[in-house]
Amino acid sequence: MANLLVRMLRLEQPVTEGSKLEDELGMSSSQGVQLILDLERDLSIMIDVEDLDQDEMVTVGDLADYITAHATPQ
């Protein structure tokens, strides 16, 4: 996920589990949706976004935990 974020957001700084998606990385909500779509494609998974609360997705680790808990194989 870190590599995808670096590529998508054209970042020069490293991305860690504690990196804040919006405040530090500058990720917008539309980029968050694109990230999920890209992860689904790249990992051949489906991510249930019904319960996705963007207010709870503060860090890269938060997003990774959500994806792990809500992903199913395609």
Side-chain angles (χ1 to χ4, degrees):
M1 183 181 329
N3 291 334
L4 186 57
L5 279 168
V6 168
R7 211 173 49 236
M8 175 188 288
L9 300 174
R10 295 179 179 94
L11 300 171
E12 294 186 20
Q13 78 263 26
V15 174
T16 67
E17 187 176 325
S19 297
K20 294 184 180 178
L21 295 167
E22 194 174 317
D23 295 340
E24 292 177 27
L25 304 179
M27 188 169 83
S28 68
S29 58
S30 62
Q31 288 171 319
V33 170
Q34 187 60 51
L35 174 65
I36 289 174
L37 294 173
D38 289 349
L39 287 169
E40 286 180 325
R41 182 196 66 231
D42 293 353
L43 302 175
S44 297
I45 59 174
M46 294 294 296
I47 301 168
D48 181 12
V49 293
E50 291 277 325
D51 299 324
L52 181 63
D53 183 357
Q54 288 186 336
D55 293 335
E56 293 178 9
M57 300 296 125
V58 176
T59 67
V60 172
D62 294 337
L63 182 58
D65 290 344
Y66 180 86
I67 290 169
T68 301
H70 294 86
T72 55
Q74 280 186 331

